[in-house]
Amino acid sequence: MDEDQQTTPQDQGQNRFDHDGFWKDLIGLFWRGLLKRALPELYAEADLTKEPKFLDKELTDTLQVTESRKHVPSRFVDKLIDIPLKNGRSQWVLLHVEVQGPGGGVVSKRMMGYLCLIFAHYKRMPVGLLILTSPRRKASMDAFEFEQYGTRISYHYNCLRLDRLDDAELLASDNPVDLALYAAKVAFRYRKKEQQRFKYLMELTRLLADKGWDMEERRVLLLMIVRVINLESPELCQRYVRHIEEMEENNVAYVTFVEEYFSNKGMRQGLEQGLEQGLEQGLEQGIAQGRRAEKLETAQRMLAGGMSPQDILKYVGLSLDDLRTLQVQG
């Protein structure tokens, strides 16, 4: 077994969380912010008015992913993204996310292997980007080096290490993806201390409310943060819902999104039990007060802002028929 794939006791709690889904959604929804953070030169030349092509099917076919690797829990996220450029051309980006592997000795070999397979299949050279979500023992993780009998290979790629990012800089940043990266750092740092994760979730929610970003962007980003912080205690989930209900007095309408997430996450039963214990502003009360109208209004604004129906369905508790009706009305 590769050292990256070994499961440690510290990992076991984290493996319950869908890291794969979190990173795929973050990359898909906030690719502009990710480019700005990790590949600023490409960000400057990218045509940000156009959407990229996510070549996931092509990458899967090229890497010839086996059934056993498909089911490795929360370890790897691979994306091949075709980024449009201002000059009319495009640039492929091979993005590989390593999630919480305790080792690190083979990650450079994987990056080299992906590069060779893509070049052999497409005759096209991608820009490499590795994201490491947890600390690694090796000081340098951004290169593959090989030399033997006169043959020399040196492959250097971009490497974004979350443990090397400055917390204060991330919190002060005007880039929405930086707040999600900070939340991912917190989630790893306090992976066995849910009270601490709850504390940071409260602080991040207040900070996000003060950001001058578009309301829909803030709502979607909040769900990304809630997901990666990954509260498991129904009591803490309920306290959090009460907190954001109080924030709605300042026109920060987050409750519908978070309620739907907790409901889908399987927290409904625990939250209902909390209501029976006398929490007057619990989740079911909020749902009973007619959130559907707000959901429809939110979805309509998302459609007007250009967000795709597929992305809207991830974050708003409506049916596809509801969205079709809104599109017809719009």
Side-chain angles (χ1 to χ4, degrees):
M1 178 182 292
D2 290 342
E3 60 178 328
D4 296 60
Q5 297 177 349
Q6 296 173 357
T7 301
T8 66
Q10 293 91 333
D11 294 332
Q12 291 172 359
Q14 284 290 87
N15 284 344
R16 291 195 296 268
F17 173 63
D18 180 19
H19 283 286
D20 183 87
F22 168 79
W23 285 102
K24 285 182 177 178
D25 286 347
L26 183 66
I27 294 164
L29 294 171
F30 293 96
W31 64 271
R32 294 175 181 85
L34 183 61
L35 287 186
K36 185 177 182 180
R37 162 55 63 181
L39 300 172
E41 293 181 4
L42 177 56
Y43 175 81
E45 297 183 9
D47 187 344
L48 303 177
T49 66
K50 298 179 180 179
E51 291 297 319
K53 295 178 182 178
F54 290 89
L55 308 175
D56 296 351
K57 177 63 165 59
E58 288 86 343
L59 181 61
T60 299
D61 292 344
T62 302
L63 298 182
Q64 297 179 338
V65 178
T66 64
E67 286 300 314
S68 61
R69 191 188 183 286
K70 282 181 181 178
H71 297 289
V72 173
S74 302
R75 291 298 178 189
F76 314 112
V77 177
D78 300 311
K79 304 287 280 187
L80 186 60
I81 312 173
D82 190 2
I83 305 291
L85 302 179
K86 294 175 183 176
N87 62 12
R89 299 178 181 179
S90 67
Q91 175 63 58
W92 279 12
V93 175
L94 170 64
L95 197 158
H96 178 68
V97 182
E98 287 274 328
V99 179
Q100 214 178 315
V106 300
V107 62
S108 60
K109 292 182 180 179
R110 272 198 292 276
M111 292 295 290
M112 184 65 192
Y114 298 163
L115 176 72
C116 292
L117 286 169
I118 291 172
F119 183 76
H121 191 77
Y122 297 104
K123 300 297 186 289
R124 185 164 178 174
M125 192 72 74
V127 168
L129 171 59
L130 169 66
I131 299 179
L132 295 174
T133 67
S134 59
R136 299 299 179 95
R137 292 190 296 269
K138 286 192 174 183
S140 177
M141 299 289 295
D142 60 356
F144 173 83
E145 304 280 356
F146 173 83
E147 183 174 1
Q148 190 166 297
Y149 300 117
T151 296
R152 183 182 298 112
I153 298 174
S154 179
Y155 171 39
H156 290 257
Y157 44 84
N158 301 278
C159 183
L160 183 67
R161 297 181 60 159
L162 264 61
D163 64 309
R164 300 290 180 86
L165 299 178
D166 182 74
D167 287 356
E169 180 189 350
L170 293 177
L171 291 173
S173 172
D174 62 355
N175 183 353
V177 82
D178 283 343
L179 214 56
L181 295 178
Y182 176 79
K185 288 187 66 176
V186 168
F188 176 80
R189 186 183 303 159
Y190 300 108
R191 57 195 179 279
K192 299 177 69 176
K193 298 179 180 180
E194 189 171 21
Q195 286 286 347
Q196 285 294 102
R197 298 201 309 275
F198 173 73
K199 170 189 171 184
Y200 279 96
L201 177 59
M202 299 280 276
E203 292 178 359
L204 285 171
T205 302
R206 287 191 290 267
L207 177 62
L208 182 59
D210 294 334
K211 294 287 187 179
W213 300 326
D214 175 78
M215 175 59 74
E216 305 310 328
E217 186 175 50
R218 280 186 284 167
R219 287 175 171 176
V220 174
L221 183 57
L222 176 67
L223 263 195
M224 302 301 300
I225 293 172
V226 170
R227 283 174 66 186
V228 75
I229 294 294
N230 192 31
L231 296 180
E232 297 182 352
S233 162
E235 179 185 355
L236 290 180
C237 292
Q238 195 168 51
R239 285 174 59 188
Y240 180 65
V241 169
R242 292 181 64 189
H243 173 69
I244 57 178
E245 281 183 334
E246 293 172 359
M247 291 180 63
E248 284 206 338
E249 296 177 2
N250 297 321
N251 298 317
V252 185
Y254 291 150
V255 175
T256 300
F257 283 69
V258 176
E259 285 177 339
E260 191 68 26
Y261 170 72
F262 284 153
S263 177
N264 292 337
K265 190 172 182 282
M267 292 293 183
R268 183 183 299 275
Q269 181 178 359
L271 291 166
E272 288 174 346
Q273 292 173 353
L275 285 172
E276 294 172 0
Q277 296 170 2
L279 295 175
E280 298 178 351
Q281 299 183 22
L283 179 60
E284 290 301 324
Q285 180 185 1
I287 295 174
Q289 290 174 348
R291 301 297 185 188
R292 176 173 170 77
E294 183 181 345
K295 292 180 183 181
L296 289 169
E297 181 181 352
T298 297
Q300 197 165 34
R301 290 200 299 270
M302 287 180 167
L303 285 170
M307 185 174 287
S308 70
Q310 291 80 6
D311 288 338
I312 293 174
L313 288 175
K314 292 179 182 178
Y315 299 104
V316 181
L318 296 173
S319 68
L320 187 57
D321 288 339
D322 290 328
L323 290 186
R324 287 172 178 164
T325 301
L326 288 175
Q327 288 175 313
V328 171
Q329 293 175 348

